[in-house]
Amino acid sequence: MQFKLERIEDKVEFFEAFDIKRLEKLIDEQIENNKALLLHVQSVHHQVTLDPTTGKRLYTAAVHFKAK
């Protein structure tokens, strides 16, 4: 068995929450986790839609992390 390590160069993660503060907290936690992998935020795309089942606002974000 061969063990090979490769560095992650790019990573895209998706988040969703019914509260903007919760969404921010989820993203902040993942930013801290990705610092250990030497990744920083390259870009953030977000939007708000209505959840058809609950009628509540659903906040979503896509965060692109890139190697330093």
Side-chain angles (χ1 to χ4, degrees):
M1 186 166 103
Q2 192 175 28
F3 189 70
K4 184 177 178 184
L5 293 177
E6 291 185 23
R7 184 174 176 193
I8 298 173
E9 296 294 327
D10 288 294
K11 183 178 180 185
V12 177
E13 296 191 39
F14 301 94
F15 304 90
E16 66 180 16
F18 288 110
D19 183 333
I20 191 73
K21 294 290 184 189
R22 174 76 178 137
L23 183 66
E24 288 176 356
K25 183 179 178 191
L26 290 171
I27 294 170
D28 285 341
E29 288 172 358
Q30 199 57 35
I31 288 171
E32 290 301 315
N33 292 339
N34 285 329
K35 282 183 181 179
L37 299 173
L38 299 176
L39 298 174
H40 71 278
V41 175
Q42 180 71 20
S43 65
V44 177
H45 298 278
H46 58 87
Q47 69 178 32
V48 179
T49 59
L50 288 177
D51 184 357
T53 57
T54 62
K56 292 182 178 181
R57 291 181 188 167
L58 180 63
Y59 298 90
T60 60
V63 182
H64 177 203
F65 294 94
K66 193 162 182 85
K68 290 185 177 181

